[in-house]
Amino acid sequence: MTTTSTKGPAAPPEHSGSPVMRRPHDERRLPWFHLVLTGLAGLLVAIALLAIFDALSIPAAILLGFVLHLAFGYLYSRIREGRRWAMERLMTLVVIGAFAIAMFPLVSLLWAVIGRGLTRVLAAAPSPFAFWTTDMSGIIGGAEAGGVVHATIGTLLITLWASIISIPIGLFTAIFLVEYADQGWRRVLGQGVTFLVDVMTGIPSIVAGLFGLALFIAFMPDQSVRMGIMGAVALSLLMIPTVVRSSEEMLRLVPMDLREASYALGVPKWLTIVKVVLRTAIAGLTTGITLAIARVIGETAPLLLTVGMVTSVNWNMFDGRMATLPTFINQQYRAGSANCMNDTVTNPVTQEVYACSITTNIDRAWAAAFTLIVIVMVLNIVARLVSYYFSPKLTR
């Protein structure tokens, strides 16, 4: 009787103590701190060269040091790792350098605005943060008092009305371009609208201000009229293209399968757009709208032409001039840049005498710029919260 045994596939032979197989060049890869060492070497050589030629400065040392870092890092990696990994190191350094160059103006701007603006806000008379709770009524020259509450209220009101005008128009236009401009005359109309939106994106802000001014002057007998609503209309011309383009891109990212599933359940198209498409794209839509608001909240030229400047609070958008933060910054900077004709300035209302100080006006301009940045930051935080709580969740 013969016994046949069934065996599985042969096991690989065991090689106890044999080294683990490694890819070529793995043992020659340099650790990350070698890039730091080559960077320090490049910076030291740059400082030495600039000192020899009597051209030493911090920006020049950083720029020349980065160029030398690229050369030293590439050559050292080429010797130790080979051509392939040396090119990888070089491109990594170029990308990091481009990021640093892009961040440097932003960081320096924030540093200057926060440093000079916050100092003025904290040192405002008669108490800290009074700069945010008082206006400029009766304040002239270099008086330490005065604030931006009137300009802050005007900025918020005009931006609110510009958003009320722009967001529905821009959002409905984007819905038409994505959901309805698919064939026939609607497709031709959609192509024309897209072209006009692209053209409006590049319109200078001063042109928007001139349009808002001419529109209201054409229907009003008083040619010198200035109102807050005129500024809101001018800013809406700048907001609408941004809202349309950003909303259109976000709506196109919604998968067609979601729409088809809704249609298969018998849901009409308009309800599908409201309940499915818009809710799916709510995070991107909120971000686009926030970017549009941040785009116009700091515009100066349209507001100089349409709303003018006052020193007190005006809540009425349809009557009288209004102060805004951009125009306030412009006014204070121009006042601070002008030369003082006398050593003192007399308030015509209270007859108080103040020392003529251009520094106070410049500090007010920096503090108003800091206030504007704070408002934009708060709007971005609100947009983030809306996107987080109202966007569809991935988990069930």
Side-chain angles (χ1 to χ4, degrees):
M1 181 177 179
T2 304
T3 304
T4 304
S5 61
T6 305
K7 298 181 179 181
E14 297 182 359
H15 299 280
S16 58
S18 60
V20 179
M21 296 296 294
R22 295 184 178 181
R23 294 179 298 175
H25 306 298
D26 276 0
E27 64 278 1
R28 294 195 297 170
R29 291 303 309 276
L30 296 174
W32 63 270
F33 61 84
H34 281 258
L35 293 177
V36 179
L37 296 178
T38 55
L40 292 176
L43 182 61
L44 294 176
V45 173
I47 293 175
L49 291 176
L50 293 173
I52 292 174
F53 292 98
D54 196 18
L56 182 60
S57 64
I58 295 178
I62 293 176
L63 182 60
L64 182 58
F66 176 70
V67 175
L68 294 176
H69 186 199
L70 294 178
F72 293 165
Y74 177 78
L75 293 176
Y76 184 67
S77 179
R78 180 69 181 265
I79 296 172
R80 294 289 303 274
E81 296 178 306
R83 183 184 63 83
R84 177 184 176 187
W85 292 114
M87 185 58 66
E88 172 73 15
R89 300 280 189 186
L90 178 63
M91 296 309 299
T92 300
L93 292 176
V94 170
V95 171
I96 294 175
F99 172 76
I101 292 174
M103 290 297 296
F104 180 76
L106 175 62
V107 174
S108 61
L109 174 64
L110 291 177
W111 181 269
V113 173
I114 293 175
R116 299 193 61 173
L118 185 59
T119 302
R120 169 64 183 174
V121 171
L122 295 178
S127 62
F129 297 102
F131 185 77
W132 287 344
T133 59
T134 58
D135 56 25
M136 293 293 293
S137 298
I139 306 298
I140 63 171
E144 294 295 332
V148 291
V149 64
H150 61 305
T152 304
I153 293 174
T155 296
L156 295 178
L157 286 176
I158 292 176
T159 306
L160 174 63
W161 277 84
S163 302
I164 293 174
I165 297 172
S166 305
I167 293 175
I169 296 176
L171 188 57
F172 289 155
T173 302
I175 292 174
F176 173 80
L177 295 176
V178 175
E179 303 293 339
Y180 294 95
D182 51 358
Q183 57 184 354
W185 65 269
R186 290 181 296 186
R187 182 175 182 179
V188 177
L189 179 60
Q191 292 175 349
V193 171
T194 301
F195 175 76
L196 293 178
V197 168
D198 293 338
V199 172
M200 289 180 63
T201 304
I203 290 179
S205 58
I206 188 68
V207 176
L210 289 173
F211 173 81
L213 180 63
L215 178 65
F216 280 84
I217 288 180
F219 294 99
M220 291 189 174
D222 186 5
Q223 301 296 306
S224 63
V225 63
R226 299 293 186 272
M227 297 183 298
I229 191 63
M230 296 171 63
V233 172
L235 293 183
S236 66
L237 293 179
L238 303 175
M239 279 189 66
I240 289 175
T242 305
V243 176
V244 172
R245 298 304 293 173
S246 60
S247 301
E248 181 184 359
E249 295 301 324
M250 292 301 104
L251 294 177
R252 292 189 187 279
L253 291 177
V254 178
M256 185 60 66
D257 295 342
L258 296 179
R259 297 180 177 87
E260 294 175 350
S262 178
Y263 298 153
L265 294 175
V267 180
K269 187 169 186 175
W270 71 270
L271 193 56
T272 299
I273 295 173
V274 174
K275 293 293 186 178
V276 177
V277 178
L278 294 181
R279 293 197 61 179
T280 305
I282 186 65
L285 294 176
T286 305
T287 302
I289 291 172
T290 305
L291 291 176
I293 294 175
R295 158 80 169 82
V296 303
I297 197 173
E299 288 291 345
T300 307
L303 300 180
L304 286 173
L305 294 173
T306 55
V307 300
M309 184 64 193
V310 292
T311 58
S312 58
V313 178
N314 179 14
W315 293 90
N316 193 346
M317 289 286 295
F318 299 91
D319 184 23
R321 298 169 181 257
M322 295 186 72
T324 59
L325 287 172
T327 56
F328 180 85
I329 295 171
N330 177 73
Q331 180 207 33
Q332 293 298 314
Y333 181 79
R334 289 170 62 91
S337 300
N339 295 324
C340 293
M341 300 301 295
N342 301 307
D343 294 333
T344 60
V345 177
T346 303
N347 191 327
V349 179
T350 62
Q351 299 302 316
E352 296 182 60
V353 179
Y354 300 102
C356 183
S357 173
I358 64 174
T359 305
T360 304
N361 297 104
I362 300 296
D363 289 342
R364 288 198 195 107
W366 282 104
F370 172 73
T371 305
L372 190 60
I373 289 179
V374 170
I375 293 175
V376 175
M377 182 184 65
V378 171
L379 291 176
N380 278 275
I381 293 175
V382 172
R384 295 286 183 179
L385 293 176
V386 171
S387 301
Y388 177 79
Y389 286 106
F390 290 95
S391 59
K393 302 299 183 289
L394 298 178
T395 56
R396 295 184 179 180

